[in-house]
Amino acid sequence: MSKLICALVPKGGNEYIYHFNDNKTSNKKSFKGNSTIGAITQYLISQNEEFKILLLRPASIDKYEEEKLISELLQYNVPKENIKCVEVPVKGNYESKKFNLNNHIITADIAFLAIQDSTDDEIREIILDVSRGLNFQILVIVDAYRRFLVAQQAKNYIDKAKCPKFYYVYLTPVNLKEQEYEVTFEETKTPFFVDYFKNVNKLPFKFDTDYYPESLLLYQEFNFIKEIISCVNECISAIKKGFALAFLTIINWNNIEKLLNLSYEKITLKRIKELIETFSIEKDNTKEIKLCMEYSLGNLWIYIYLLETFYKIYKEYENKIYIEEHRKWVKIDTLKNFNEKIIKNLFNESSAYTLLDNELENFKRIFEKGEKERKYPSSNLERNFNAHAGLLYEFIDQDYKNLRLSYKLGEILDKDHKKKIEDYIKDFLKVYT
């Protein structure tokens, strides 16, 4: 499949005429339909395109509307297995029904996870159609779509060519009297951004323990998220400040595969829908979801994909880390390669690159003379750790014969408090803004 078309299920709808520019000729093609997604489907079939359809039905819209739309799409010879429907929670009063949510985050999260669940490596284009629907619902879906764009950038950060292209559907009135519209697919790009999680110990869910006493087990189930946030913060800090040696030898990479596997198992559309069902109450035409969201799962998935990217980078350099007794040695040339390839070229951290490059050149120059770098003890460890790209004399063991460096792992720097050097470095890595 090459395309994924994501659309809101409309309520009712009159028949309109939709005009498309034929991508193979200069002619226009026109189709009639009771929905934009119906017209898009006819157009793509006429172009012999392969595509899947994801329908997002707001809970306020009767399931009959979904079934009617699917029947319409099937008439255009869309394979039934290529159509997927997901109910999206909503907040507010609709006719005789009332829906209670603590906020709209759950709405955006379900939309985000539904799009993610429908996207595989074969999908090269994703088209969002929100031409029908209530304004605030559209805004929530668009926000989820925007975060999905950023998450995909994080997932494909190393190989940007693998990232799908993203489009919005725009309707331009042609003849309002005859109810005619021109349809265009406008490509959209969102700048890469990261919403930092400053509170490492905060989970995205707030479970109602009075309503559901077993909530403590749910907190335990999702506790691994704290480790993900902590590790990604450390990686971001290391890259931004040029702490190449810390990135390769201090961050705990042994647990990363487990954390990633838990993410793909637990933070999924299926699991979140199960949680919503568990915390839902329906009574007197009112549906209440007592699952509170502290922050967006879309933001969290940006972090998860970043962790995956950072882990790929580490694995690329893993065999260049030499472990001898309590030391993890890295050659200066390896650190220079990491600095040039990763810090400067991949993440565009020019200031960090310059700082680390100067430090490494200094070490290389001293070592080639058969000496060790000598510096006076630091009066402010954190300030000087930052100033020397993490290569602070008190923390570094130097092997001038083999032109390599290591942190003094296992050694105690502060005799009074018995604090190990790696603990100091981990503390410095937590400062990421």
Side-chain angles (χ1 to χ4, degrees), residues 40 118 217:
I40 292 172
S118 303
L217 295 175

Side-chain angles (χ1 to χ4, degrees), residues 38-52:
I40 292 172
T41 298
Q42 295 176 72
Y43 168 71
L44 292 178
I45 288 176
S46 75
Q47 299 292 297
N48 296 316
E49 298 272 12
E50 291 186 344
F51 60 95
K52 292 193 296 186

